[in-house]
Amino acid sequence: MTRLLVECTYVYENPKANSGIQRVVRNVIRELPTEDLEREYIPVVMLRGKLYEVKSLVPPPEKAWDLVSLRARLEQAANLFWLRHRTLESRRPFSQSAWARRLLYVGCRLFVFGCLSIPIRLLNLLLRRRQVAPRIMPLEHRAGDQLVLLDSSWHADFFPLAEQLKRDGIGIISVVYDLIPLTHPQFCDAGLVKVFNRWFDWIARTADGYIAISTTIRDQLRQEMVRRIGEQQVRERWFDYFYLGSELDQIDPTQAIDPNLLRLFKRPEPVFLMVSTIEPRKNHAYLIDAFERAWAAGSQARLCIVGKIGWKCEALIERIRRHPQLDSRLFMFNNLADQSLEHAYRNATALVFPSYVEGFGLPLVEAMQRGLPAMGSDIEVFREIGGDFMAYFDLDEPQSLADLVTDMEHTGVFPAKRNLDHWQWLSWRQASAQLVERIEGHVNEVIVDRETACG
């Protein structure tokens, strides 16, 4: 029996994380096929040099697991602390004195280390000790198993184990979400660029096949592989893609919708929604520039930004918090639960998504599947996903988005070539099935080729 071992280590260790890749991992794992006499699909994690089968990605409802929430709050506090530090650093006297900036930095480092870093590390140790049972159990691998690296593995420490599994006859397949740290390093933290580059070198040497989340990324991936290891070795690997699903998986009907969000949608003026982590490549500054032009022209449209605060966004956050239209025509929500996000998707006028670069653009399909039209930057992957059902604007000219907003506000007509009534997209069950079917197709081809070569 063929076994696909689907790796989900980061999501297992961080069950509260809810950004794009974590959504993908949870939903694919949840929807893995269950009834198949010829194949078995097993979620796995690699911890402390050992392979485990995952029985549940959801922590048990015990008080001890409040430690997970505490760790998440401490990590968020650390991020916000450094955001404040960078804002303070740009002001007098720190902006005028290198010594003052140095003293500020040392003081902040000591504070974070004592009050946040040490508690976070202790919580990590406690949680690792608690996470052995009953959520996971040891798994014996077999020659012929296929290890699918589905999760965000560039920060992982399991590469020696994966290499040993490969020597034991297990195939390794890497899921690739994007190549942004390689192609657009200016949008990423410098540490991530180094880590991601090392990870890519590792999967280039180690993996037998690669499956991306769009044809755009599949083609970019193959080109980068040719550049790094040469055409001959690339021919020995296989490349494919699958598309992501569209449901929100953490909706809790018993949870109240954010009251400020409810008040926002009770007013009659149109609401344009942006859903994304706040970080440079998402291009929020362009978005605000465009809406400022629309407001200057008399538009009553409102802009609602939804997403956690990320990296390299200190100036942007300061701009939003000091904006004269804040809480009037400009709104920001940094911690919306899925129940509130669902409400926003179902009540907004349109989604606006001005990213410079993406691997897929999950909010696009989440919005459009709910009947919410989407306006996006005119980039290749958005054309692939949205086709004629989306409206596109020029990233070099904020006025192009301002015109789309004001025209829709005045006419009530969304300016796409095709109506969303004809839009159809994959569910997460279909997406998970597509992933495993395409992997199995390539694995079977490799087996047949080897048998033919052996005569």
Side-chain angles (χ1 to χ4, degrees), residues 201-235:
D201 279 340
W202 183 81
I203 66 162
R205 296 191 316 271
T206 310
D208 304 291
Y210 309 84
I211 187 157
I213 57 172
S214 62
T215 63
T216 301
I217 299 305
R218 178 201 61 190
D219 296 344
Q220 288 180 7
L221 169 62
R222 195 183 189 285
Q223 291 170 6
E224 180 65 17
M225 289 281 290
V226 169
R227 190 182 73 80
R228 293 201 180 209
I229 64 175
E231 183 69 44
Q232 180 59 42
Q233 289 198 50
V234 167
R235 288 198 197 101

Side-chain angles (χ1 to χ4, degrees), residues 6 8 12 42-55 131-132 135-140 161:
V6 187
C8 51
Y12 173 82
I42 305 174
V44 300
V45 297
M46 292 185 280
L47 298 172
R48 300 175 291 281
K50 295 182 180 180
L51 185 67
Y52 296 88
E53 179 179 355
V54 176
K55 294 301 183 182
Q131 283 177 332
V132 174
R135 296 173 65 208
I136 58 176
M137 61 182 295
L139 179 69
E140 292 293 330
L161 173 59

Side-chain angles (χ1 to χ4, degrees), residues 10 152-159 189 191-193 195-196 198-199:
Y10 182 85
S152 51
S153 58
W154 36 92
H155 289 290
D157 58 2
F158 57 62
F159 301 129
D189 178 78
L192 172 61
V193 173
V195 167
F196 192 92
R198 287 196 296 269
W199 169 82

